[in-house]
Amino acid sequence: MNELTAIETVLLAAVSDRPRYGYELVERMSELTDGRVQVRPGNLYRVLHRLVQRGFVVESDVAAPGEDERRRYFGATALGRRAAAAELAMFTRVLKRAPALKEVLSDA
Amino acid sequence: MHEHALWRLLRTLLPKWYRATYANDVFRTHLDASRGKTGLRFWLRLTWDVLLTSVQLRMDGTSGTTVTRPQRASPFDVAGQNLRLAIRGLINTPSFTIAVVLTLALGIGANTTMFTILDRLLLSAPAHIVNPEQVRRISIFGKNPFTGETSHNSALTYPDYRALTSVTGFAGIAARGTRTLTLTSDGVSQHVSTEFATASYFPVLGVKPALGRFFSPNEDKLETAEPVAVLSYGFWQRQFGGSPEVLGRKLDVGKGRYTVIGVAPRGFTGIDISPVDFWLPFHPAAVIESGRDWVDEYGWYWFDAIARVQSDRPVEPVVDMATARYLTGLSSGRDRDASARVVLNPLVSGRGPEPRPEMQVAQALGALAFLVLLIACANVANLFLARGLQRRKQYAVLNALGIGRAGLIAQVMTEAFVLAALASVLAYYIATIVAPTLFKVILVDAELARVGGLRVLLMTFAATLITVLLAGLIPAFRSSQVNVLEALRSGRSSLRLSWLRRGLLTMQAALSVILLVGAGLFLRSLNEAHERDLGLFTDALTIQLEMNGGIIGGDELQAAIYPVLERLQQHPLVESAAATSLLPFNGLWGFRVRAPDADSIPRGPNGPMVYTVTADYFRTLGIPLLRGRGLTVSDDSKSAPPVAVISELMARRLWPGREALGRCLLIGPEKPTPPCTTVVGIVGNVLPHVTAKEPRMFYYLAPRHVGVQTAGAQALVLRVKGNPDNAIAPLRSAAQSAAPGIRFVETIKLADFIEPQLRSWRLGARLLTAFGLLALIVAASGLYSLLAFDVTQRRFELGLRSALGAPAPRLIRATVGEEILFACAGVLLGLIAAFWLARAIQELLFQVKPADPMVYAGVLIVLLAVSTVAAALPAWRAARTDPRIALRSE
């Protein structure tokens, strides 16, 4: 089962283009969701750990040049990207029905 | 890494594996987020994060392994998942959580407190009594010899008791009377409460001493060379530091000297709740304090009795036998009721036929606590309802995804359960802190031995859970009925006030009015009692006197008083001083009075009462002399012609429309006819006691008047120059040096002496005001949260209107107008209900009518002010909604 919670999905999206470190991830997740997701750092690492355990995310030892060495970077695995994509596809399928329903309603 | 002590401490909250792997990264990220600044904000955020994360991690299970959802969830998993969801939901909406938990904790806390107190007052037997249901209070149901009313009377005379001891059916019978006496040690006097108890008292109750022993029948005889005493545990601790060497010590209590032989168990206060310091053997103590007249006196009701019934025998024959013995004990010619019956009442005083006034206060408070709970309940229901509305979309989506109605309700109820758990813990702590204090206030100085316990905790939790379930269930049902399409459409029509919310709002307002009216009536009572014209000068000082040691008759005391009085009259601080038989408002005394030329003089509760006073009494206490003259020094002699000064009321009642001066009063027994006492003066009326509704007839005689048989003067009243508080100490020592044989028990202002008699109003007013305030806070916060929620929900509409140029007042009206309308309806309903309910507390009120217009007007003003403020904030927010922001929020 590759079910993901909403925050897991957003986090996977945030690490899918390149590895990121803690605060960068907080910012990126907020940016991706129009500021709707403000993850607490404690929770961030909790969710990250869960994703690492499931093999969706790995810790990357490649730090960008000039960056602080003590920062830990995390990036998505191929498996992780696929899982996130599948989850989003499922969501989209559900939500695609919404406009049609809305239309029916406003006609009624 | 910046190692801060606070951080090291915080870190320990996190599970070990997480701390080792991620704690530093969490800190680092917070540091990044605050751009390296570690101010208060940083630490608050960090603390909050660590707290929540540690809770979340523990809910996740061990070492953070993912919980994969099984295909078919067991009920246990569902419950666990619901619990997790509920906690997460509550954490995400802290304002909702805090509002609900606080409201409930206050409402339930008030109720737990009152439950604890009422339980002790009304339901539980006093501590240390074995099989308390077998112990009964004896009372006589018949005509009250004083008032003439048929009622239960627990006060007995000694011949009555002697008759009852011959009843064979009791497992035991005991007599006990309470009295406040003076304990003197090393020249310092203090008041102690004593209970005169027969040797059978402790065995009847089944109490065992904590130290030493209780009295033996031999030590409870009329003739006892060396009287003994038992100390209460509390007094033993306070006064003797709990030292076992107290046994054998001799103590001067009242007029006697007693040897301590034992200490009662901790928390034992006899059969009543008020504390006792000493138990003295009934017969010797009564002889020492009062002589021997009571032994055969049928008119002296001064104690009561208890009996233990045998569990294996029916009670009726025993009661019949007791009644028979009681009636044969009545000698002929006494005006007692021959149809009187002996009644055995339960030990728990609250269940008896004569509830104490404290019970009434406690019951009224219990009812009020319940009202507060109802308001809190309405409030919480409203909050749940609002939350339900807020989550319509969420529910709708869940519904669409196949999570059924039962699932939704289960989830909402889980949330309710978590809230109830939090609130009841808080409520329990509120109760354990408040209850003992309140108990002490309701019953002067009585100790609430045991507070809380599992029973109270369970009761609290049950009450909270029921409240939350009631408050949460209806909203949950409503939320679960969400129509997906309607909810997703998010039209403003669906957010209008529902009838349920209107009803809750109305009820909340009505209940608050009722509470506030109660509080207002008590406040007015208190004010009345304070500003009352008692008919005299309450800044006067009073000194109560008592002889030191031994059995000394009234004459000796009286002889000793005069030198003291003379000394004080010459004291530079004293303006005037007088002696009196009784202090005003401190009990009544009467002789038989006839007047040959008056139609009839009422007897009993309306009959005239006497004060024996020396010259200057009226001037000292500021009682106005209306006609004739006051008493003079020359009147105070056995050889002087007997004269009396009477109160205006007495003059008017006895000789209506005629001159009272110069008339003759016959004071004393029927035969031989006493000499004429001439009325020489008429003075202003004085109340018989502070709380009396109207004045009573009084006449004043000189202490050495021929008709006065008992001790004529026992207390002094003084009017001093300057501040009376500063005069207390010098006057006390001046009095002491004038007569070393006298004990000057208390030197206080008359006003302070009266103070305790105003207790029940003061108490009622304070507590009711406190409950009224509590209700006001709960109701106002309810109104506020309701309105604030509405404004948030209708931001879109308001923004649109604002963008279209609607003026602010209209917007405000559109937002809160309807709520205000329903709140006003509630206020009106509440006023009507309060008007009707206030009659129930009439007995506790003082000189205030239940329909006092001032109170109702005041409540109206307060409520309008509070609801205006509660409504103004959200309305103001509504009026300045920025259209752009509002429109974007959809």
Side-chain angles (χ1 to χ4, degrees), chain B residues 507-530:
Chain B
M507 185 175 111
Q508 229 170 307
L511 291 173
S512 315
V513 170
I514 296 173
L515 267 182
L516 286 173
V517 165
L521 287 174
F522 270 87
L523 266 183
R524 284 271 292 158
S525 272
L526 186 69
N527 205 28
E528 280 296 314
H530 252 311

Side-chain angles (χ1 to χ4, degrees), chain B residues 399-424:
Chain B
N399 216 341
L401 291 175
I403 295 183
R405 183 171 176 168
L408 277 181
I409 291 179
Q411 201 183 317
V412 175
M413 289 341 291
T414 313
E415 211 166 58
F417 190 83
V418 172
L419 285 170
L422 283 174
S424 56

Side-chain angles (χ1 to χ4, degrees), chain A residues 16-84:
Chain A
S16 57
D17 54 344
R18 66 174 171 85
R20 284 185 164 80
Y21 70 92
Y23 183 59
E24 222 180 359
L25 276 171
V26 175
E27 295 263 82
R28 176 72 176 151
M29 285 169 78
S30 168
E31 187 190 321
L32 286 176
T33 57
D34 275 345
R36 266 160 220 261
V37 173
Q38 295 290 344
V39 69
R40 285 178 288 101
N43 196 28
L44 173 76
Y45 287 101
R46 165 175 166 264
V47 176
L48 264 178
H49 179 78
R50 224 154 55 188
L51 292 175
V52 169
Q53 294 249 315
R54 290 166 76 177
F56 293 163
V57 168
V58 282
E59 190 173 343
S60 144
D61 26 79
V62 212
E67 291 281 4
D68 192 331
E69 278 173 25
R70 283 170 302 183
R71 286 191 174 131
R72 294 165 70 184
Y73 286 76
F74 294 87
T77 61
L79 182 65
R81 275 189 212 106
R82 268 208 304 281

